[in-house]
Amino acid sequence: MSDSKNKVIETPPIVFIIFNRQDYTKAVFAEIRKAQPKKLFIVADGPRTPSEEAVCKETRAVVQTIDWPCEVHRNYAEKNLGLKERFRSGLNWFFENVDRGIILEDDCLPHPSFFKFAGEMLERYRDNERIMMISGDNFLPDFKIENSYCFSKFFSIWGWATWQRAWRKYDVTIKSWELPESKAHLKKIYPQKYMVTYASKLFDGIHSGKLNTWDVQWLYTCLMSDSLCIIPGSNLVSNIGVYGTHQGGSNQNLPTEDIYQHGALRHPNSIELATEYDRMFYEKNFAPGPFNIRKWIISILVEYETIKKIYRTMVRLKNFLASKI
């Protein structure tokens, strides 16, 4: 076992994806500044409306000054590309310039030890095609992981890292989902029928064009590649968003802790799926519970983008009024 407690691990290249949330951007950028990556890539989408131009400009100003030795690259869209295209084009650009790196969104607040952990994992598993990504998230804080990390079939992107070799497989259209063998493969991956149903619904939405996002395609890419995700033994990134893409959900605003607090990382002896971890995670987050008509109605309504926009506006209004009171 290497002494990763004392070994200096260089912070990998980071791509920081921002838009119009100035406060979130400040908080996450403060942690990036502490980590002092030698290469920083900043991706920003353009305003959706003229009224958003000012706040987008103010958010970009947050990351304008880089006060440590760093090679900085910026990719700012003049017009709004939307969630799917901005992430796709932004990450394509990032991996055209680096062979590995960390991906952080503006509402994913990392613990300082996340950068070292990601760097160590990126180096250790750089040539292992079975490992597609490293997540900073552990949504089961009470689950005892024997080593410092385990391997999962859930690919959480609230603060993560991967390699160019893995991102090359990404297909934003998931064209192969139309093939019967892809659907058969999904059933082999998930022994739980409700997980097959859940994932199939997501993939159907992407393939038909009804679902406008980017991360479902990454999940699909990883699953169809028979790959695994590294899950840290303790949660290393907290999603602080109360409005925007990630708002809502029981896995937000989780505490983080130093994964090196007890010394060097303890590496698993073999690369094996943590079946029990995944089972408990799926049951917590996706298993159907007792029928609740209110939750059922909401689940139907939020499939429509217009309803989502109204909901997000109401959340912003509620937070604004609460701050004034």
Side-chain angles (χ1 to χ4, degrees), residues 153 155 171-178 182-183 185-187 189-190 195-211 213-224:
K153 283 286 186 182
F155 301 83
D171 175 16
V172 74
T173 66
I174 62 169
K175 182 172 175 55
S176 65
W177 179 237
E178 64 192 25
S182 297
K183 296 173 176 61
H185 186 65
L186 187 67
K187 293 179 181 178
I189 293 171
Y190 293 129
M195 284 303 298
V196 175
T197 301
Y198 169 78
S200 296
K201 188 175 181 181
L202 289 177
F203 300 154
D204 285 343
I206 292 295
H207 195 261
S208 66
K210 293 180 180 178
L211 190 56
T213 189
W214 70 274
D215 53 335
V216 171
Q217 296 93 312
W218 177 242
L219 170 65
Y220 178 84
T221 299
C222 293
L223 290 177
M224 293 300 152

Side-chain angles (χ1 to χ4, degrees), residues 15-20 41-48 56 60 73-94 96 103 105-106 167 170 172 212-215 217 245:
V15 58
F16 187 31
I17 302 171
I18 64 174
F19 179 36
N20 65 358
F41 297 74
I42 305 172
V43 173
D45 204 356
R48 291 169 293 192
C56 286
R60 295 177 184 186
H73 304 267
R74 292 181 171 87
N75 188 320
Y76 293 172
E78 294 184 8
K79 298 180 179 179
N80 187 262
L81 302 178
L83 185 66
K84 179 169 72 173
E85 178 55 24
R86 180 66 290 200
F87 269 83
R88 185 199 67 81
S89 61
L91 293 185
N92 282 350
W93 170 69
F94 180 53
E96 286 169 2
I103 300 96
E105 295 178 61
D106 58 2
W167 185 253
Y170 181 78
V172 74
N212 183 34
T213 189
W214 70 274
D215 53 335
Q217 296 93 312
T245 305

